[in-house]
Amino acid sequence: MNDKHAAARLRTTLVERLRLIGSVRTEAVAHAMSEVPRELFTPGSTSLTEAYRDRVVVLSVDERGLPDSTVSQPAMVALMLEQLAVRPGMRVLEIGTGSGYNAALLATLVGPTGEVVSIEVSAELAGAAARRLAGLGVRVDVRAGDGWEGVADRAPFDRIEATVGVPDLPPAWVEQLAPDGVLVTPMWLRPGLELAIAWERAPDGTLTSVSVTRCGFLQLRGPHAGPGRTHALTGDLAVIGEDLPPAALDVLRELLDHGAVDAGPVLGPVDTRLTGFALAEPRSVLFLGHPGDGTTWGLFDPKLPALAVLMRDRILVYGDRDAAVELYYGVAGAPVVNAERLRVEAVPVGTNFPAAPASAGRSWTVERDHHHYRLTEI
Ligand SMILES: C[S@@+](CC[C@H](N)C(=O)[O-])C[C@H]1O[C@@H](n2cnc3c(N)ncnc32)[C@H](O)[C@@H]1O
């Protein structure tokens, strides 16, 4: 069997698997994923079998050796295309061209009467993707530049899809969306809470989610990257938190140096309540590496100063012991939140949220520079 046939078989198997796990839901997405040869978008060192695993493939790494561009996991690619609901003839903008694989899928979905524009911050990647797509006869207008600004000279777009995560919606994306358009973007909302959200915009400018799914994405780079939410501490230890300027990180390092006291057991099962805890508590932090085993949650207050962390079924406290009490009650009292059953609304800073219906469930707000977000259980 030659490589082309082998690839076609692997592609069919992958699409069937994605249907079974619920990532592929429509014939349009199944067809696009069955047509576009993913192996032509992965680096030359990737075997055919690897190209068709349901895995992320790294395209490039930064100076620290961490991935800064990847060909996303097929299950996530499919889920986001389902959220986007592209129809033939539409004009679509993609932010984060990477390899060009998703742009090729979008081009298949819009068909010969539609248009795809894709923007990539790395000029090198943009050039390689443009050549790859042109070589395959796929019509995509690839731009090199900062996707934060969108692509104003081709707006408005029926669909906008970001394949890179943001902590806040860039105003340009909202402005460049057609009145009945859909915007899909991965959003970092709290430690451990990153959601791919499909947004629709009401005439009053409020954006409301039409679907929400958990995801994990590389974060936006370039001039609008912001301070980042993941910070290296010492050795292989990193911390993810909402507002951790350098002075707060120094306090954290000092606390860790002084060592912890065992503050006793936590109450009841913890894992299911961490999303609820993170939503209610802006001081929640997530550690990668030790302290604890692997991923550890905690509460860090640089003003006390104190850090309390969950260590399996116990709480360790560094500094002021009040933090242990707050973590204990914060987690014990947190509701079990199903992220997929959240409605998310976004309003530009300076405007109010629409009145919540009387039947609305619990809700939380997250405040960012350009928009405020309200997450409500449905
Ligand atoms: C997960 S990868 C995208 C995968 C891609 N859609 C594909 O099919 O191969 C995220 C991409 O976003 C790009 N990116 C990061 N910040 C960006 C920005 N400000 N503007 C445009 N692209 C950006 C990265 O360089 C990376 O290539």
Side-chain angles (χ1 to χ4, degrees):
M1 188 163 40
N2 68 27
D3 270 8
K4 233 176 165 177
H5 284 113
R9 274 189 45 177
L10 288 167
R11 213 155 39 240
T12 307
T13 309
L14 176 64
V15 172
E16 284 317 309
R17 192 189 122 71
L18 298 180
R19 276 190 209 267
L20 279 175
I21 62 172
S23 297
V24 166
R25 294 170 190 172
T26 59
E27 284 315 307
V29 172
H31 170 74
M33 294 194 85
S34 306
E35 288 287 304
V36 178
R38 190 171 187 254
E39 77 279 13
L40 301 185
F41 294 86
T42 52
S45 55
T46 319
S47 73
L48 201 52
T49 320
E50 279 166 341
Y52 285 102
R53 283 214 180 100
D54 188 17
R55 297 265 169 83
V56 169
V57 177
V58 176
L59 270 184
S60 69
V61 292
D62 65 14
E63 59 287 348
R64 295 165 299 167
L66 301 174
D68 61 12
S69 182
T70 57
V71 191
S72 306
Q73 185 188 356
M76 201 63 234
V77 170
L79 266 178
M80 287 175 63
L81 289 176
E82 294 291 4
Q83 288 185 287
L84 200 63
V86 179
R87 290 194 302 275
M90 285 184 162
R91 182 183 292 187
V92 182
L93 170 65
E94 179 195 34
I95 290 114
T97 317
S99 66
Y101 173 64
N102 190 58
L105 294 171
L106 291 170
T108 310
L109 288 164
V110 299
T113 55
E115 287 174 54
V116 178
V117 183
S118 183
I119 182 162
E120 166 60 52
V121 75
S122 153
E124 202 178 314
L125 287 173
R131 285 190 295 279
R132 195 174 294 128
L133 290 162
L136 290 168
V138 181
R139 208 166 39 86
V140 176
D141 176 358
V142 180
R143 306 282 182 98
D146 184 6
W148 170 271
E149 308 284 1
V151 177
D153 63 294
R154 298 296 298 278
F157 297 97
D158 304 302
R159 299 288 185 263
I160 299 180
E161 180 185 9
T163 60
V164 61
V166 284
D168 195 4
L169 286 172
W173 299 1
V174 180
E175 282 155 23
Q176 292 174 23
L177 191 64
D180 294 324
V182 175
L183 161 64
V184 172
T185 180
M187 292 206 66
W188 190 100
L189 289 159
R190 284 277 190 253
L193 187 61
E194 201 182 335
L195 303 175
I197 304 176
W199 301 97
E200 278 178 357
R201 191 185 47 200
D204 69 358
T206 308
L207 291 131
T208 306
S209 65
V210 282
S211 67
V212 169
T213 184
R214 276 191 185 270
C215 68
F217 264 86
L218 294 177
Q219 296 298 298
L220 191 92
R221 330 189 239 156
H224 296 95
R229 259 83 191 170
T230 307
H231 309 271
L233 287 170
T234 46
D236 61 354
L237 182 64
V239 65
I240 304 179
E242 179 72 33
D243 181 23
L244 297 173
L249 292 171
D250 287 343
V251 173
L252 188 53
R253 286 191 190 95
E254 214 164 290
L255 286 168
L256 289 167
D257 274 355
H258 278 87
V261 175
D262 186 334
V266 275
L267 183 68
V270 166
D271 292 358
T272 50
R273 286 181 270 140
L274 290 174
T275 299
F277 167 66
L279 274 170
E281 179 51 83
R283 296 172 299 169
S284 61
V285 286
L286 181 57
F287 284 94
L288 308 174
H290 64 268
D293 284 342
T295 312
T296 310
W297 287 79
L299 182 150
F300 168 54
D301 190 329
K303 289 194 210 91
L304 281 173
L307 164 71
V309 294
L310 295 169
M311 171 78 151
R312 296 187 206 95
D313 56 351
R314 303 193 74 77
I315 292 178
L316 300 184
V317 65
Y318 301 73
D320 192 317
R321 294 190 65 139
D322 279 0
V325 179
E326 293 199 54
L327 180 63
Y328 178 92
Y329 286 110
V331 173
V336 176
V337 175
N338 177 354
E340 258 88 23
R341 293 194 52 79
L342 287 172
R343 185 182 60 238
V344 191
E345 294 155 286
V347 290
V349 166
T351 49
N352 295 323
F353 286 107
S359 58
R362 277 179 292 241
S363 76
W364 301 266
T365 52
V366 172
E367 299 189 351
R368 296 279 152 80
D369 290 350
H370 299 282
H371 295 89
H372 290 173
Y373 301 86
R374 180 168 69 185
L375 296 90
T376 309
E377 282 183 315
I378 49 173

